[in-house]
Amino acid sequence: MSGNRAVAYKEPGVVEIIDTDYPTFELKDGPGVNPANVGRKVPHGAILRTVTTNICGSDQHMVRGRTTAPQDLVLGHEITGEVVEVGPDVEFIKVGDIVSVPFNISCGRCRNCKEQKTGICLNVNPDRPGSAYGYVDMGGWVGGQAEFVLVPYADWNLLRFPDRDQALEKIMDLTMLSDIFPTGFHGAVTAGVGVGSTVYVAGAGPVGLAAAVGAQLLGAAVVIVGDMNEDRLAQARSFGCETVNVSNGDPKEQIAQILGVPEVDCGVDAVGFEARGHGKDASHEAPATVLNSLMDITAAGGSLGIPGLYVTGDPGGIDDAAKHGSLSLSLGTGWAKSLSFTTGQCPVMKYNRQLMMAILHDKVQIAKAVNAKAIPLEDAPRGYAEFDAGAATKFVLNPNGYVKA
């Protein structure tokens, strides 16, 4: 093999399909690759022919120019693939396996990995704990919105599907295991959702919808989803959620109309640092809005799951503080109500096998919930543009034709 095609970030608002190198078992220099990782040998890796690779809201932050992502960075951290080559140190993963790739890159050897904290692996990013494919400041591992991709520590990282035919039949659901389904589920788990819980999920994008599905799977009595995009709210209602439109004002009063009380047991932030205000301020960016609102509407002693992305560097931040990830939080509210907070990358491997089993045994239809749609790799620029414009769709790239019409 000598060629590969991939989706690359070019400039704010622009992605293109580029010709790039076929992966090898050594990290090469390139856009976004950490200099300390250049030349790193990967005998424990596998090369995948991509089956599906999804466009994520986290990718959109980069494409909007809201990070320090360099030009020609190959995007994509939501990857499902077929193994076509394995390195000499790979023992259990075999050529021909259909596998899900957790978006967190982890070694399986460090203290954090051994404690299931795979989102903050200590050995894969020279700059700080935690890494991901095709993402700025995450070590420079090449992204998977491509025909082929390298996965390190293959025996550890890859989740092998038990039956090839079944996997391909359910691929539009299984493709969500690389990120958004575990991430949304993690948001619900860390918010303390259980049987009979009332839950508010801020954000009706794919992660918010996945969090809502996760809350239902955990036994929530009522799941309320808030957003200002009516198409996305309609998608939430399609699988049994209540909804509030935050452009009509603070969600507190609307929650009271649904539940009879103006608070919920559990709160999930699936929006992140590009949050906007509520009501008359809905047209203005106000990055602390969701977090402060969740502290206000979550019952005393409750928990907040925060899978929404927050960054330490935002060139488009509304002020100097926001540009460095400093937000005006009402921490006093959180303290007074004894609220618990969980932030950071979802440790995908903590959940992906269990969620795979739920999919394979027809306990959940995550692709339907997030309105998944497969498109060719060449249509990635259109997918990015439509998603950025608010389409109530989870775009799944199909670079090698595995997903049939």
Side-chain angles (χ1 to χ4, degrees):
M1 288 287 190
S2 59
N4 194 9
R5 292 185 309 145
V7 181
Y9 168 72
K10 303 300 284 189
E11 62 184 49
V14 179
V15 299
E16 292 181 3
I17 311 301
I18 64 169
D19 293 318
T20 189
D21 293 336
Y22 182 83
T24 65
F25 294 105
E26 178 182 328
L27 286 187
K28 305 293 179 63
D29 197 8
V33 177
N34 190 302
N37 262 348
V38 174
R40 183 170 180 166
K41 307 294 185 183
V42 192
H44 42 68
I47 296 173
L48 309 186
R49 180 187 292 115
T50 305
V51 174
T52 52
T53 176
N54 315 329
I55 296 174
C56 180
S58 298
D59 298 320
Q60 286 285 16
H61 294 305
M62 289 188 290
V63 173
R64 291 181 187 129
R66 297 300 295 267
T67 70
T68 55
Q71 185 181 45
D72 286 327
L73 179 75
V74 173
L75 301 168
H77 56 272
E78 300 191 11
I79 310 161
T80 307
E82 178 177 7
V83 178
V84 292
E85 292 186 55
V86 295
D89 291 354
V90 176
E91 185 175 1
F92 304 112
I93 291 293
K94 306 298 182 187
V95 170
D97 287 343
I98 304 293
V99 294
S100 179
V101 184
F103 81 88
N104 325 105
I105 302 172
S106 57
C107 71
R109 295 152 164 81
C110 72
R111 172 182 175 174
N112 285 347
C113 284
K114 289 178 180 181
E115 294 177 355
Q116 289 193 308
K117 301 172 185 175
T118 53
I120 43 174
C121 173
L122 300 174
N123 290 329
V124 287
N125 183 352
D127 283 344
R128 63 187 184 192
S131 189
Y133 303 88
Y135 213 86
V136 61
D137 297 331
M138 287 290 188
W141 299 86
V142 178
Q145 288 178 10
E147 293 173 325
F148 298 91
V149 64
L150 170 70
V151 174
Y153 304 104
D155 282 328
W156 166 254
N157 279 306
L158 295 177
L159 175 67
R160 174 169 45 199
F161 299 134
D163 181 87
R164 178 189 178 91
D165 291 339
Q166 184 187 33
L168 293 176
E169 179 185 345
K170 293 181 176 289
I171 194 62
M172 292 296 282
D173 290 294
L174 294 172
T175 191
M176 306 305 165
L177 291 174
S178 58
D179 182 357
I180 68 160
F181 196 12
T183 292
F185 190 77
H186 178 63
V189 168
T190 55
V193 178
V195 174
S197 297
T198 57
V199 186
Y200 178 71
V201 179
V207 170
L209 297 175
V213 171
Q216 292 176 336
L217 201 57
L218 289 165
V222 183
V223 180
I224 305 169
V225 179
D227 205 298
M228 58 186 68
N229 181 318
E230 277 295 346
D231 291 338
R232 291 181 171 182
L233 292 174
Q235 187 63 33
R237 290 191 293 271
S238 74
F239 58 93
C241 297
E242 301 285 348
T243 60
V244 300
N245 190 323
V246 297
S247 64
N248 295 332
D250 189 293
K252 196 169 187 176
E253 293 182 6
Q254 298 177 70
I255 289 170
Q257 292 174 6
I258 295 168
L259 298 177
V261 292
E263 62 182 17
V264 293
D265 301 320
C266 315
V268 179
D269 172 7
V271 178
F273 73 103
E274 288 191 68
R276 296 184 177 276
H278 294 155
K280 59 182 177 58
D281 296 322
S283 61
H284 303 295
E285 193 163 301
T289 297
V290 171
L291 293 172
N292 286 328
S293 173
L294 284 172
M295 284 190 277
D296 186 38
I297 64 178
T298 301
S303 299
L304 307 186
I306 309 173
L309 176 67
Y310 290 87
V311 296
T312 55
D314 173 14
I318 58 171
D319 53 34
D320 287 341
K323 289 177 182 178
H324 296 91
S326 297
L327 308 181
S328 298
L329 295 180
S330 179
L331 194 58
T333 301
W335 190 93
K337 297 176 73 174
S338 295
L339 299 176
S340 300
F341 304 75
T342 301
T343 67
Q345 287 188 37
C346 163
V348 170
M349 293 173 69
K350 189 173 182 178
Y351 308 106
N352 62 350
R353 185 188 179 278
Q354 300 95 309
L355 295 176
M356 175 189 75
M357 295 300 288
I359 290 169
L360 294 179
H361 292 277
D362 299 318
K363 299 302 181 185
V364 65
Q365 293 181 304
I366 185 64
K368 183 177 180 181
V370 301
N371 193 28
K373 178 181 179 181
I375 60 175
L377 188 73
E378 293 79 3
D379 285 353
R382 175 179 64 83
Y384 269 96
E386 291 185 9
F387 187 39
D388 191 48
T393 304
K394 177 68 172 176
F395 288 101
V396 175
L397 301 180
N398 180 27
N400 290 301
Y402 284 87
V403 182
K404 305 304 179 186

